[in-house]
Amino acid sequence: MRRTTAGYAFLAPVLLYVVVFFGYPLVANLVMSAQDYTVRSFYTGEAPFVGFANYAAVLANPLFTTAVLNTVLFTVGSIAFQFGIGLALAVFFSGRFLGSATLRSLLLLPWLLPLVVSGAVWRWMFDQDHGVLNAALRLVDAPVPWLTSTEWALPAVVITNIWIGIPFNLVVLHGGLKAIPPTLHEAAELDGASGWQRFRFVTWPLLRPVTGIVLMLGLVYTIKVFDVIMVVTGGGPANATQTLTTWSYALSFRDFAFGQGAAVGNLLILVATAFGLLYLRSLRATLAEAAS
């Protein structure tokens, strides 16, 4: 009994933290999504129960399709380039050369900076009149209206998020490459395998478990990105960069439709939870494969 009590005593701070900062907000959000919660509700405490009316209103809103499509494009575009560039850099830094450790440390800078700072810097770089990108483009072509065009705004926030996410992919994939025994590459080289053949038939199969975890974590993180988009474009212009996260914020704190904003947030939580469960499943499979 004493050991059991001591165990629960050690778990109590963690359980309290989870209940207060995760459990309560989640339950409160679920309740709010089933209510007609407005600004008046903060003063009167009255929020009529409407069931699934908020979810129906959200799904019927024409902006829902736009937000979902932008979320998919933003997530897929970010992950594809983050992973591709991160893998290329990881392979590049797997070889030893003068200054490799210093250069690899400098490449971690985007990961260490606060996201608001990174977004503000990129917003300045994308400025049509004074941005450094358009200053370079004027030398070869016409400047691009990155932040004011519905065609270029989404690529702009994707580029920003790619820059932020590359270091994470680089670090994890570089660690996975270092875990591969170099004798396997030496044996393949002695057998006459080229560099591409060594990567395809030796490196990639052994790196696949780490790759699955990197992609799944990147998916879970990217699908709920909020601050980068809000700082760079604010969801505009004309909702061209409006994702589910920014739309939930706009519904709640711009339109003051808190019930509908909570409904969008719950839909996003549902999607993120599904991918989180897939991540846990892939993690168990990776651990089982490593153990065998």
Side-chain angles (χ1 to χ4, degrees):
M1 178 65 71
R2 184 181 300 175
R3 295 176 62 182
T4 303
T5 304
Y8 281 114
F10 281 111
L11 288 175
V14 178
L15 294 176
L16 181 62
Y17 177 85
V18 171
V19 169
V20 172
F21 293 102
F22 290 92
Y24 172 73
L26 181 61
V27 173
N29 202 62
L30 286 171
V31 173
M32 184 180 292
S33 68
Q35 295 176 320
D36 183 16
Y37 209 98
T38 62
V39 176
R40 183 180 179 183
S41 302
F42 287 101
Y43 297 97
T44 64
E46 298 177 358
F49 180 79
V50 295
F52 292 99
N54 287 324
Y55 292 92
V58 165
L59 295 176
N61 194 320
L63 192 53
F64 176 76
T65 304
T66 301
V68 171
L69 180 60
N70 287 340
T71 302
V72 172
L73 293 176
F74 176 80
T75 302
V76 173
S78 296
I79 292 177
F81 285 97
Q82 285 175 357
F83 179 80
I85 299 174
L87 178 60
L89 290 174
V91 173
F92 174 74
F93 284 111
S94 62
R96 295 184 177 181
F97 57 90
L98 183 63
S100 61
T102 303
L103 183 58
R104 191 169 67 248
S105 301
L106 291 176
L107 288 176
L108 296 180
L109 185 61
W111 197 22
L112 301 177
L113 288 175
L115 295 179
V116 175
V117 174
S118 299
V121 171
W122 276 95
R123 180 179 177 84
W124 168 77
M125 293 175 63
F126 284 127
D127 187 86
Q128 183 173 354
D129 298 322
H130 308 289
V132 65
L133 292 180
N134 278 343
L137 288 175
R138 286 190 183 94
L139 301 176
V140 294
D141 201 353
V144 175
W146 295 100
L147 304 179
T148 57
S149 169
T150 55
E151 297 180 0
W152 289 101
L154 187 60
V157 293
V158 170
I159 291 172
T160 304
N161 197 57
I162 290 171
W163 182 80
I164 293 172
I166 287 175
F168 171 76
N169 289 264
L170 167 61
V171 170
V172 179
L173 293 173
H174 184 265
L177 290 174
K178 287 299 182 181
I180 299 176
T183 53
L184 297 178
H185 292 282
E186 295 172 0
E189 187 176 4
L190 290 175
D191 289 338
S194 63
W196 167 247
Q197 290 174 328
R198 293 198 300 271
F199 176 81
R200 180 181 177 184
F201 297 107
V202 178
T203 303
W204 182 250
L206 295 175
L207 193 63
R208 192 161 48 194
V210 178
T211 298
I213 294 176
V214 170
L215 290 175
M216 192 58 63
L217 282 177
L219 182 62
V220 173
Y221 292 155
T222 307
I223 203 172
K224 58 184 181 63
V225 167
F226 169 77
D227 33 19
V228 173
I229 300 176
M230 287 301 296
V231 172
V232 177
T233 63
N239 297 315
T241 58
Q242 199 78 273
T243 61
L244 289 175
T245 54
T246 58
W247 189 36
S248 176
Y249 175 86
L251 285 171
S252 298
F253 300 104
R254 186 190 65 192
D255 303 334
F256 301 112
F258 296 101
Q260 294 184 25
V264 175
N266 287 331
L267 292 176
L268 187 63
I269 290 174
L270 186 63
V271 174
T273 301
F275 286 117
L277 293 176
L278 289 176
Y279 162 67
L280 293 177
R281 183 176 180 180
S282 66
L283 181 61
R284 285 196 298 267
T286 300
L287 294 176
E289 183 178 346
S292 60

